Amino acid sequence: MLKDSPTVFHEPTLNSFAALGRQIHSQVRSALQDLLSSETQNPAALRDDPDLRNAALLHRSTVHNHLPVSIGDYTDFYAGYNHAFMVGCLFRGPANALQPNYTHLPVAYHSRSSSVIVSNTPVYRPIGQILLDPSAEQKEPTTAAARRLDMELELGVIMATGNELGSRIKIDDAESHIFGYVLLNDWSARDIQAWEYVPLGPFNAKNFASTISPWIVLADALEPFMAKGIENKTVIQNYLKESRAENVVDLELEVELTTSEGHSTMIAKTTSRNLLWSFPQMIAHHTLGGCPLRTGDLLGSGTISGTEANQKGSLLELSGGGKSEIT
């Protein structure tokens, strides 16, 4: 199956493997399952050959994980409806919580791929301009370390194959361009963001670190967990209309906070079903004007939150904008 690309697994990243497309990914996945299965009839199975098993497998404690792909570009969407609504309520009130365009198109901003890091990499508190007293008549910022550092629970998609400049990926073809999924933490400096994001959106508040898991779960592996996302009652444009009803992955997602003393507390639990827009819709919109996506590009879902108090995917929501403590 890899006779034309025999060295793809000798490279430090999975980009070349990703570029081979979904059909090859499926074949490799099936072959690995066959080698690892306890019920396999394959004579080369790792189950029956201890020497081969010792040569092929490494103990997890001996492994240092790196970024799984070289990420050329990173676009973060805002598809978590409940998060968008709750944050809008905090800043603008329920009547104006969502901008008029929110249910018409997948809102996004372009972030920095240079600061995407693998899980367990230390994140340094960023320095930026902060407005200490937003109510003051004279707006005079100070430059200091962020005092409102936030995490955001997201899913990320890694692109397998892209499109040429000037072309676009149609909605029902978009799924075939997805390599796999990662967990994503879009770190955010909320006080820096509050001062800088009007009129062109977040900048230094978001570009200092974004964390992804070292393991990419192939799209085929998550196929059994597809479900219907949040219903969009707005009549959307034809290029965003999917023929598939079950369009988002349904995964249980959890946030656990661990102190420097080693004490851990579960502070949030939600599901990735809480998305208004699917990744195929994000891809279709991203390429609508002819923007080329490329192998290894990262697309973020936006913060995923439920509607209950313990289902919020950010500290901003969990604390009510800093008004209540998180135990």
Side-chain angles (χ1 to χ4, degrees), residues 242-259:
E242 298 173 275
S243 59
R244 182 178 188 176
E246 297 178 337
N247 59 350
V248 300
V249 180
D250 184 10
L251 298 175
E252 292 185 1
L253 303 172
E254 300 175 350
V255 178
E256 191 174 81
L257 189 65
T258 303
T259 67

Side-chain angles (χ1 to χ4, degrees), residues 23-276:
Q23 184 177 359
I24 297 297
H25 305 159
S26 297
Q27 293 174 6
V28 171
R29 179 170 180 264
S30 295
L32 289 173
Q33 287 175 323
D34 186 41
L35 289 172
L36 294 167
S37 171
S38 62
E39 300 176 357
T40 184
Q41 302 300 314
N42 191 329
L46 301 185
R47 178 195 65 190
D48 303 320
D49 190 333
D51 292 333
L52 184 60
R53 187 164 60 246
N54 290 335
L57 303 180
L58 298 174
H59 195 279
R60 187 169 57 180
S61 64
T62 68
V63 174
H64 178 78
N65 290 316
H66 299 270
L67 281 175
V69 291
S70 176
I71 300 169
D73 283 297
Y74 165 33
T75 302
D76 198 20
F77 284 84
Y78 200 42
Y81 176 87
N82 297 319
H83 169 77
F85 181 77
M86 284 183 277
V87 170
C89 288
L90 285 173
F91 293 109
R92 296 182 295 274
N96 300 301
L98 297 177
Q99 299 296 332
N101 65 356
Y102 185 80
T103 59
H104 287 271
L105 56 84
V107 176
Y109 72 96
H110 293 289
S111 193
R112 289 288 297 178
S113 60
S114 62
S115 53
V116 177
I117 52 179
V118 72
S119 296
N120 294 322
T121 302
V123 172
Y124 296 91
R125 187 177 294 270
I127 293 173
Q129 285 198 20
I130 300 169
L131 197 61
L132 296 179
D133 185 6
S135 63
E137 184 175 342
Q138 188 72 22
K139 308 297 184 186
E140 290 293 339
T142 186
T143 300
R147 305 177 186 190
R148 300 180 67 192
L149 186 60
D150 200 359
M151 62 84 199
E152 296 191 64
L153 173 63
E154 302 191 25
L155 270 187
V157 147
I158 304 294
M159 294 298 296
T161 54
N163 57 299
E164 296 295 327
L165 177 67
S167 68
R168 69 191 218 195
I169 298 175
K170 294 181 179 179
I171 185 73
D172 287 334
D173 296 331
E175 187 71 32
S176 66
H177 290 261
I178 295 176
F179 179 40
Y181 291 78
V182 292
L183 290 174
L184 169 64
N185 184 349
D186 175 34
W187 296 91
S188 301
R190 297 299 189 186
D191 43 4
I192 297 173
Q193 181 180 356
W195 173 238
E196 74 176 6
Y197 85 104
V198 177
L200 293 180
F203 183 42
N204 284 336
K206 297 271 193 174
N207 68 9
F208 60 94
S210 300
T211 306
I212 66 170
S213 53
W215 299 99
I216 298 175
V217 180
L218 288 177
D220 280 358
L222 293 178
E223 188 62 31
F225 304 97
M226 299 301 290
K228 184 175 176 58
I230 294 176
E231 181 182 2
N232 191 345
K233 298 180 181 179
T234 298
V235 178
I236 59 177
Q237 299 292 301
N238 287 335
Y239 76 93
L240 291 170
K241 293 180 179 178
E242 298 173 275
S243 59
R244 182 178 188 176
E246 297 178 337
N247 59 350
V248 300
V249 180
D250 184 10
L251 298 175
E252 292 185 1
L253 303 172
E254 300 175 350
V255 178
E256 191 174 81
L257 189 65
T258 303
T259 67
S260 57
E261 293 80 21
H263 304 299
S264 296
T265 303
M266 184 76 66
I267 61 172
K269 187 173 183 178
T270 185
T271 168
S272 56
R273 197 172 58 248
N274 286 309
L275 294 175
L276 183 69

